[in-house]
Amino acid sequence: MKRFFSFLTSAVLLLATACEDDPNYVNNPVPSPLPNEGYLSLDGLGVKVISESETPPQNNDTDKKAASRAAEQYLDTSLYRVKVISSKGEVRYDDSYAALQSLTSPLTLPVDKYHLTVTSEEPSALPAVDWEHPFYGAEKEFTIRKGQTETLGEVVCKLRNIKVTVVCAADLAAQFTPDTKATVSLKEHRAEFSLKENRAAYFAPQEGANTLTFTLTGKFTTGEDASFSREITGVAGGQWRKITIVNTHADQGNVKLDIEVDSFILDEEIIVDGSDNIVEPPVDQESGDNDEKAVKIEWAGHDFSQQYIVESGMSIDIDTTVPAGIASYEVHIVSQELAPFLADIGLPDTFDLCNVEGDPNDANSLAGKIHNLGFPINDAVKGKEQLTISISGFVELLLNIPGEHNFSLTVTDRNGKHNTKTIQLKVN
């Protein structure tokens, strides 16, 4: 399919509040510490936000500006929630960033390891899907030592939920009836886009792998059905999926509808002008086709196009090379015979090894179940440039379940490039 790529030149706003002003307590004396206590200094602490700003290009400027203003309300860092949590899960501080900056003395904390979170709002209050509702956040680890003062420095908040926009060129949109609409859903949560919609929908990432379903429903002005559906896999928080409805047969004088999906990831910051606090993220587009150079998936001595008979003691080790680092590693199990077994043990047929919730030491959690099958998860996968995963743990289980069992692996790098390979197995 002939592809169209748009090059995104997106200004990214980096807000820095209170970074140049010293906290109120800088000139005040520090009290003497009690035994097993230390201090958290706010001197030099700054909260910044990386935010993209492009909206669909085919609609009118007034609507675009209104949509942009709606999202900008989430960039006021003075309202951001700051939490300091101990290694035992005790919340030692929970208030706004503005309140934190107004303190007249450092925070006195027991000696311990701490987890700092900064979020644009309380995570538990985040809607599953909403229009123009980005959610930004950051985390930082620090340690309080007896009688010593710890400083945090700069904290950079990045997009945590999934941004989705739908674009349809005006000449193509004119061929549909006015009630034609696009629906994008993540599990049971959905957003409906008219073909003139300027707003972005933001989805909270779900547990396990995230797959968006795009559905166009409606008719052409000629009365013919225009409906079709597509799945977008390997989706993760921090991504912007820009969906464009296209006619792949435009050069042939007829209509065949499809979508193109560009993936933009705000993962790094490049300072353009430090005095203006402007940053620009590295941006890449996702072609929709496998990129063998960016993401290499290999099963030594085997051909992914072939089906293999499962034998006892069979080793299935998959080597993955991703120079830009892994952003998503989705495993999709396709097997009618295996489905009841997965349901019995509470394992979904699709999961993302980079985003598995739960404690791996808890055998009843999703993380525990996947980890006990031999899969690396979360930090052991995310960002890795080279990784070997094994599904050998499934082999002995499969021997007792005759049928065809396929394991589809979709790996996406931090530039949005991806590759998919399928392990095709059969048990006689």
Side-chain angles (χ1 to χ4, degrees), residues 126-147:
L126 184 68
V129 60
D130 197 11
W131 296 104
E132 297 299 339
H133 195 145
F135 174 64
Y136 300 102
E139 299 178 1
K140 201 164 191 175
E141 308 293 332
F142 65 94
T143 301
I144 293 296
R145 297 175 175 84
K146 182 178 179 179

Side-chain angles (χ1 to χ4, degrees), residues 162-176:
I162 302 164
K163 178 180 179 179
V164 177
T165 55
V166 175
V167 177
C168 184
D171 57 345
L172 181 57
Q175 301 182 48
F176 299 114

Side-chain angles (χ1 to χ4, degrees), residues 169-177 180 219-223 226 247 254-255:
D171 57 345
L172 181 57
Q175 301 182 48
F176 299 114
T177 57
T180 299
K219 295 182 178 181
F220 292 105
T221 54
T222 58
N247 176 14
N254 54 28
V255 178

Side-chain angles (χ1 to χ4, degrees), residues 211-215 229-233 235 259 261 330 332:
T211 297
L212 295 174
T213 300
F214 171 91
T215 303
S229 182
R230 296 286 185 272
E231 285 193 345
I232 305 168
T233 61
V235 183
I259 61 171
V261 183
E330 184 177 273
H332 181 40

Side-chain angles (χ1 to χ4, degrees), residues 50-354:
I50 294 181
S51 163
E52 30 57 39
S53 61
E54 179 169 301
T55 54
Q58 86 279 12
N59 303 317
N60 71 71
D61 288 338
T62 301
D63 289 344
K64 283 196 295 183
K65 290 176 181 178
S68 179
R69 285 195 299 271
E72 284 178 1
Q73 64 180 300
Y74 300 102
L75 297 177
D76 184 358
T77 57
S78 67
L79 302 177
Y80 277 30
R81 203 76 189 172
V82 180
K83 293 184 180 182
V84 175
I85 305 170
S86 74
S87 62
K88 298 179 181 179
E90 300 167 328
V91 179
R92 293 290 182 174
Y93 184 87
D94 183 1
D95 209 334
S96 69
Y97 177 56
L100 184 68
Q101 284 296 105
S102 68
L103 294 180
T104 58
S105 63
L107 285 177
T108 302
L109 296 170
V111 171
D112 199 356
K113 292 183 178 180
Y114 290 89
H115 182 71
L116 172 82
T117 65
V118 182
T119 55
S120 54
E121 61 186 278
E122 181 62 40
S124 61
L126 184 68
V129 60
D130 197 11
W131 296 104
E132 297 299 339
H133 195 145
F135 174 64
Y136 300 102
E139 299 178 1
K140 201 164 191 175
E141 308 293 332
F142 65 94
T143 301
I144 293 296
R145 297 175 175 84
K146 182 178 179 179
Q148 298 185 21
T149 300
E150 178 72 14
T151 58
L152 293 176
E154 184 176 89
V155 178
V156 179
C157 294
K158 300 178 183 180
L159 185 68
R160 290 292 184 88
N161 48 3
I162 302 164
K163 178 180 179 179
V164 177
T165 55
V166 175
V167 177
C168 184
D171 57 345
L172 181 57
Q175 301 182 48
F176 299 114
T177 57
D179 60 345
T180 299
K181 63 183 179 182
T183 301
V184 178
S185 58
L186 178 58
K187 295 187 178 179
E188 70 272 22
H189 308 292
R190 60 181 56 199
E192 293 186 353
F193 295 77
S194 74
L195 298 187
K196 294 183 179 180
E197 182 61 73
N198 288 278
R199 297 174 299 171
Y202 288 81
F203 291 84
Q206 302 291 301
E207 181 178 350
N210 289 262
T211 297
L212 295 174
T213 300
F214 171 91
T215 303
L216 184 74
T217 54
K219 295 182 178 181
F220 292 105
T221 54
T222 58
E224 297 175 341
D225 184 28
S227 302
F228 73 99
S229 182
R230 296 286 185 272
E231 285 193 345
I232 305 168
T233 61
V235 183
Q239 295 180 354
W240 171 8
R241 292 302 177 114
K242 183 177 179 180
I243 303 171
T244 304
I245 303 171
V246 296
N247 176 14
T248 62
H249 283 189
D251 57 345
Q252 301 177 25
N254 54 28
V255 178
K256 183 179 180 181
L257 297 176
D258 207 338
I259 61 171
E260 291 178 347
V261 183
D262 293 336
S263 177
F264 305 112
I265 302 175
L266 297 176
D267 193 47
E268 302 175 28
E269 56 177 315
I270 302 174
I271 297 179
V272 176
D273 187 339
S275 62
D276 292 335
N277 290 323
I278 301 295
V279 300
E280 181 177 353
V283 177
D284 206 345
Q285 292 87 3
E286 182 175 71
S287 68
D289 300 319
N290 288 342
D291 193 322
E292 300 284 352
K293 293 183 179 179
V295 180
K296 191 174 183 180
I297 305 174
E298 297 178 297
W299 182 10
H302 295 79
D303 183 350
F304 284 110
S305 66
Q306 303 296 316
Q307 185 181 72
Y308 294 91
I309 303 299
V310 176
E311 299 176 351
S312 181
M314 186 177 185
S315 177
I316 307 176
D317 297 326
I318 307 301
D319 298 315
T320 308
T321 303
V322 187
I326 297 172
S328 172
Y329 201 126
E330 184 177 273
V331 179
H332 181 40
I333 304 172
V334 183
S335 170
Q336 292 183 350
E337 293 78 9
L338 197 55
F341 170 77
L342 296 178
D344 287 343
I345 66 173
L347 187 69
D349 60 9
T350 303
F351 48 88
D352 185 353
L353 297 178
C354 289

